[in-house]
Amino acid sequence: MNGSLTQPVSGCTLACEGPRASEGSGGQNAPGKVAPIDLLPNELLLVVFKLYISPNIPARDLVVLSLVCKRWQNVAEGTASLWCRISGRDGLPGLRKALTMARDVPLEIKYFKGVAKTDTETFLAHIGGQIAQCKSLDISTSDWDPVLATLKQANTPNLRTLRLAVPWNQGWKESVITLFGGEPAPAELKDLHVEYIPLAIAPLRLSGIRSLVLKGRPIVSTEEVLRLLGESPALEKCDLHNLRSLRNSNIAIPSHVLQGRTDYPIIQLSRLRSLDIRNLHLSITHFILSVIRAPKLRKVSVDCTIDQLDQSPGSDLFTTKISHLIPSFKDLVKTAKRIEMFSHNVRYWTISIGRLMIGLAGRRPRQLSHLQETLDWVFRNLGGHLRALPVSLKVFEFGIARDWFIWFGSYLKVTKLELRTLDLPVQPRRREMVSLLSRPLESADNQWLMPELKAIKIDVVDEDSKSEIVEMVNARHSWIDEQGVQRSGAVGLKPFQEIWLGHEGHYVSKELGPNLEFLMAVQKAGRGAEIWWEDAKWTGAEDAGRVGEVEGNA
């Protein structure tokens, strides 16, 4: 390598010193020796720099790199594209430095008021005329006057990504806002993400948009969202979440939605690959699904939000009017290896199969029939083989009744069960669930609940729960030992392969020491099952010995 290098790097010409002799003596640092990183050409050194730079504090990291040596300073300060990320967390000195060094390269601007080192108005004022270089603008703030003023006055012809949000705990109190002074959005805009801001969408004319994420209050009416979808044929990703004006069951739903009209124009979304619709009024969700045509879907999440007693998944969402989506849905689940079911309580369940997620949500407790209707529709229309898939069931707060728990065990092939609790008052129900797993079902002497269960994760909340868990594990494994061979008419009970345990609340320590006796009892009852405590694998005598040494040295 020559002693002096003049070579283009990312569009810039750098005059950098060649590899320098490391200072010091002896070994690799002896005179004449070269540090390995100094052997890298500038192009590879830039790759190292880019991996090191944090997206949150890019200017600070670049200044640190510039202080290492003259060559690094030349590379960092001579490559304008390294300084393209402008972050509110860098503070004013970093902001000024980055804007100076970036020169005329396209900028990626990110400002989150909660962590920024300066206020919104000052931040945008310093960017000033360079806002025209912006290709990405990501702002989360409650101070929107300077933002709107900037977007109204600025010429941003290269803007490709626009993300605007109000912090989740700060509600929007203003009226509907208009961007760009009511003019259409820049023609280059491809990615629009808006959260909790009532934004006037129509003036933007988003015909070229590829990614659309609207959460909270960006949409004013059903007609607006339908018009937006119809005018955006290039859409590849569409997320519609919790649009407040479209989730209230008392809103004036358009007549074409209520009447289920079939003459409404079909919306062709031939490029759409990801669709996520959550917490909208059920009639609107159903209507959107009925009018769109998206043959290239690769990921779908849809909520069935039920607010009325006379509603159900079968009659209000999974109707023949969405049957055109079945081929795409089949493709989403064809490689699924398991079904994942998750619930915080009986008011919200999600069913995930491959790249399809269905949520059952609403203000009223979900009837067990809603879950069964949904799964029956999936098995009947997307493939009967899905019924045989192993099921991972996760329940928080033990928010299900006895009959629900028994239904899961008999209707589905549950192989992994996670029972979590965040509240001690639910302990009676929690104990009932553990008890049901500890003995054969009352209706059949030789049949156990969830006989295919191989892995269980459960919280330890008090000393009583420890003995209940040990008894449950021992009962199932003892029954297996006693049977030897499977009895006629009995469902074969599988032994646990993994038992995951952890503390919850103030009555049980998370440390190993106070739980050694309990863990050793679980290990004995588990007969070879892997035991985990607080997400760390328990190695039995080895862990016990290590804890004993620590306590002995204390």
Side-chain angles (χ1 to χ4, degrees):
M1 187 175 294
N2 296 328
S4 177
L5 298 175
T6 302
Q7 50 185 312
V9 180
S10 300
C12 300
T13 300
L14 301 177
C16 303
E17 296 175 0
R20 56 181 170 76
S22 300
E23 297 179 357
S25 61
Q28 191 173 5
N29 291 328
K33 295 290 185 179
V34 178
I37 196 168
D38 281 336
L39 297 174
L40 293 179
N42 289 346
E43 288 82 2
L44 291 183
L45 188 60
L46 279 174
V47 173
V48 175
F49 284 5
K50 290 175 181 178
L51 292 174
Y52 173 80
I53 298 169
S54 165
N56 298 319
I57 46 173
R60 191 195 71 172
D61 287 350
L62 280 166
V63 169
V64 170
L65 291 172
S66 300
L67 295 174
V68 172
C69 67
K70 185 64 175 178
R71 181 191 176 209
W72 285 27
Q73 181 182 18
N74 288 340
V75 172
E77 296 186 353
T79 310
S81 60
L82 284 178
W83 300 84
C84 68
R85 294 176 179 174
I86 310 298
S87 171
R89 292 185 65 176
D90 267 324
L92 288 180
L95 172 61
R96 297 189 188 104
K97 176 78 171 180
L99 290 171
T100 300
M101 303 307 300
R103 296 190 285 276
D104 59 353
V105 301
L107 300 179
E108 300 174 22
I109 300 173
K110 180 179 293 187
Y111 179 88
F112 295 167
K113 184 177 181 180
V115 295
K117 298 295 182 64
T118 184
D119 62 86
T120 310
E121 184 174 6
T122 302
F123 178 80
L124 291 174
H126 274 75
I127 292 175
Q130 286 182 264
I131 192 73
Q133 299 170 221
C134 181
K135 71 173 182 179
S136 173
L137 183 61
D138 188 352
I139 296 182
S140 176
T141 182
S142 57
D143 184 11
W144 278 94
D145 286 341
V147 178
L148 296 179
T150 299
L151 291 176
K152 180 178 181 180
Q153 300 168 6
N155 176 26
T156 54
N158 299 314
L159 186 64
R160 294 182 60 86
T161 299
L162 179 60
R163 299 180 181 180
L164 306 175
V166 173
W168 68 270
N169 60 341
Q170 301 180 29
W172 183 269
K173 299 180 181 179
E174 305 298 329
S175 59
V176 176
I177 68 170
T178 303
L179 299 179
F180 307 109
E183 295 297 317
E188 289 298 312
L189 187 64
K190 305 301 180 188
D191 179 358
L192 178 64
H193 184 130
V194 182
E195 295 188 25
Y196 304 106
I197 302 172
L199 177 65
I201 298 290
L204 298 178
R205 300 180 189 177
L206 301 172
S207 60
I209 202 77
R210 294 180 184 174
S211 176
L212 179 68
V213 178
L214 302 177
K215 298 182 180 181
R217 297 177 56 192
I219 287 290
V220 176
S221 67
T222 307
E223 286 87 349
E224 188 174 8
V225 70
L226 292 172
R227 181 172 59 250
L228 175 59
L229 294 176
E231 295 175 352
S232 306
L235 263 183
E236 297 175 6
K237 174 183 178 180
C238 180
D239 292 1
L240 305 174
H241 290 189
N242 196 29
L243 304 181
R244 299 179 188 180
S245 58
L246 304 187
R247 71 177 184 177
N248 191 331
S249 60
N250 296 320
I251 64 174
I253 302 174
S255 59
H256 54 255
V257 175
L258 289 175
Q259 298 169 5
R261 278 172 40 187
T262 58
D263 59 339
Y264 193 86
I266 295 300
I267 298 175
Q268 297 288 348
L269 297 173
S270 59
R271 299 183 182 181
L272 189 65
R273 284 169 169 74
S274 176
L275 177 64
D276 196 332
I277 304 178
R278 303 191 194 187
N279 204 14
L280 306 190
H281 189 272
L282 184 56
S283 301
I284 297 173
T285 299
H286 177 258
F287 192 79
I288 291 174
L289 294 177
S290 70
V291 298
I292 66 170
R293 298 295 184 270
K296 294 184 179 179
L297 281 172
R298 294 296 176 266
K299 182 180 180 182
V300 172
S301 298
V302 60
D303 266 357
C304 179
T305 302
I306 298 174
D307 291 320
Q308 305 298 320
L309 288 175
D310 59 348
Q311 292 178 328
S312 73
S315 62
D316 293 272
L317 182 61
F318 301 113
T319 71
T320 56
K321 293 178 181 177
I322 70 164
S323 59
H324 59 280
L325 292 173
I326 287 178
S328 295
F329 284 7
K330 281 185 174 181
D331 189 56
L332 298 177
V333 303
K334 68 180 182 181
T335 60
K337 302 299 183 183
R338 65 171 49 246
I339 298 173
E340 296 183 355
M341 300 188 66
F342 170 71
S343 176
H344 278 282
N345 50 54
V346 292
R347 289 178 176 83
Y348 188 70
W349 285 87
T350 59
I351 303 170
S352 299
I353 311 174
R355 289 171 278 130
L356 173 66
M357 191 281 285
I358 300 171
L360 294 173
R363 298 191 185 114
R364 301 180 184 277
R366 300 279 59 76
Q367 298 177 9
L368 186 58
S369 61
H370 292 173
L371 272 174
Q372 186 159 354
E373 276 184 27
T374 302
L375 288 169
D376 282 345
W377 182 88
V378 168
F379 297 151
R380 184 174 60 254
N381 292 280
L382 306 187
H385 68 283
L386 299 174
R387 185 185 295 272
L389 288 179
V391 175
S392 176
L393 175 63
K394 182 177 181 179
V395 183
F396 266 96
E397 299 182 4
F398 293 82
I400 57 175
R402 174 190 177 94
D403 57 336
W404 285 55
F405 203 63
I406 293 176
W407 177 82
F408 278 116
S410 58
Y411 188 74
L412 299 169
K413 182 182 175 181
V414 180
T415 61
K416 183 177 180 180
L417 176 64
E418 186 169 348
L419 297 176
R420 309 302 300 270
T421 181
L422 303 176
D423 190 7
L424 283 175
V426 302
Q427 289 311 297
R429 179 169 293 176
R430 176 195 180 284
R431 289 194 164 91
E432 183 177 31
M433 299 304 104
V434 175
S435 177
L436 284 171
L437 294 170
S438 303
R439 62 181 186 274
L441 294 170
E442 296 175 357
S443 59
D445 291 340
N446 294 327
Q447 292 184 355
W448 287 68
L449 187 65
M450 302 181 185
E452 302 279 348
L453 193 59
K454 298 177 182 179
I456 187 169
K457 187 170 186 176
I458 187 168
D459 288 331
V460 181
V461 296
D462 55 27
E463 293 302 317
D464 288 341
S465 68
K466 291 182 179 181
S467 60
E468 292 164 358
I469 292 170
V470 173
E471 290 172 5
M472 181 268 293
V473 175
N474 186 62
R476 293 175 77 94
H477 283 235
S478 294
W479 192 88
I480 294 172
D481 292 344
E482 291 171 2
Q483 297 309 299
V485 294
Q486 183 174 316
R487 289 184 179 180
S488 175
V491 176
L493 183 63
K494 299 292 191 297
F496 286 123
Q497 296 178 0
E498 299 177 6
I499 303 172
W500 296 71
L501 305 163
H503 93 296
E504 180 60 48
H506 304 290
Y507 298 94
V508 175
S509 171
K510 67 180 294 186
E511 304 301 326
L512 273 177
N515 296 290
L516 283 179
E517 184 177 350
F518 164 61
L519 292 172
M520 294 177 73
V522 174
Q523 186 180 48
K524 180 179 179 181
R527 293 162 171 77
E530 291 184 354
I531 313 298
W532 298 73
W533 176 257
E534 295 292 337
D535 294 326
K537 189 174 182 180
W538 161 254
T539 59
E542 181 180 338
D543 278 342
R546 184 163 55 251
V547 172
E549 290 178 5
V550 172
E551 293 178 347
N553 295 329

